[in-house]
Amino acid sequence: MTVDVASVNGSGCRPGSAAVAVAPDNSAFTVTYSEYLASAGGGVAATEGRKNCLLSLLVHVPQGYTYAVSHVDYRGYADLQPGAVGTQKASYYFQGMSQTANRTHQFHGAVNDNWQVTDTTGIEALVFAPCGEQRNFNINTELRAEVGTSDKNKTSYMTVDSTDGSINSVYHFSWKQCPVRR
């Protein structure tokens, strides 16, 4: 399996700020971002409170197989003042298909720590890529920081990043064999 980035668009992931690496056993891939941060309060412009990233991937799988994404791990850092709110959202879908999986996680200040969340899809709800068709797999993520009831003069922020300064979101695959066409 190989994964190529078809496009990266959004206020949280300018071109060149996202990279994809596939695990040696093809069970997962990691997306690494370098500038995905939402902030609010302390005189920060309102447009900085919501950031998004639409990552469109071309996943090349062996003939006769298809895949679905079964769970995703996100890591980041939150510095939220008491009363501030941070939100991480994600939706997953194949180009041209209406089935979309959506997940939302909220964080309430005061928080000043690393965070991690996992989006899990049960086997009965997995959406597999159509057999024999090449469709982009799209991951649309959003990060928000809101002042809420916190002191509006103090800045709160959320990032999707790891301790080394890059963002690591790990996507795990489920595989199945396509039916043989006669």
Side-chain angles (χ1 to χ4, degrees):
M1 175 185 78
T2 60
V3 178
D4 296 318
V5 178
S7 66
V8 177
N9 294 299
S11 56
C13 59
R14 295 181 306 165
S17 69
V20 178
V22 179
D25 66 356
N26 296 330
S27 65
F29 65 93
T30 300
V31 179
T32 303
Y33 303 93
S34 60
E35 24 177 272
Y36 203 164
L37 170 110
S39 57
V44 172
T47 55
E48 296 302 306
R50 180 188 177 277
K51 298 293 179 170
N52 75 301
C53 185
L54 175 58
L55 187 64
S56 185
L57 304 173
L58 274 166
V59 181
H60 306 280
V61 299
Q63 187 171 355
Y65 287 87
T66 186
Y67 70 96
V69 173
S70 56
H71 70 273
V72 183
D73 302 316
Y74 292 98
R75 292 174 186 84
Y77 190 82
D79 186 356
L80 301 172
Q81 299 296 320
V85 178
T87 305
Q88 186 273 331
K89 291 183 180 183
S91 61
Y92 313 95
Y93 60 96
F94 291 98
Q95 177 184 4
M97 294 178 67
S98 61
Q99 293 172 298
T100 302
N102 296 295
R103 304 288 185 269
T104 301
H105 304 277
Q106 277 201 327
F107 303 84
H108 298 273
V111 175
N112 187 355
D113 204 353
N114 293 313
W115 60 268
Q116 178 176 337
V117 296
T118 299
D119 293 346
T120 303
T121 303
I123 191 73
E124 73 288 346
L126 289 174
V127 178
F128 284 88
C131 286
E133 293 183 32
Q134 181 65 56
R135 294 195 183 199
N136 288 10
F137 178 62
N138 296 312
I139 304 159
N140 194 7
T141 59
E142 179 181 318
L143 195 60
R144 286 183 185 257
E146 299 170 274
V147 172
T149 60
S150 71
D151 182 342
K152 291 169 185 20
N153 296 314
K154 294 185 179 179
T155 304
S156 291
Y157 68 89
M158 281 208 43
T159 68
V160 181
D161 72 10
S162 65
T163 54
D164 63 4
S166 62
I167 295 169
N168 292 306
S169 303
V170 180
Y171 300 79
H172 300 270
F173 289 110
S174 290
W175 292 92
K176 81 174 182 182
Q177 204 160 6
C178 293
V180 176
R181 295 187 184 187
R182 301 184 192 268

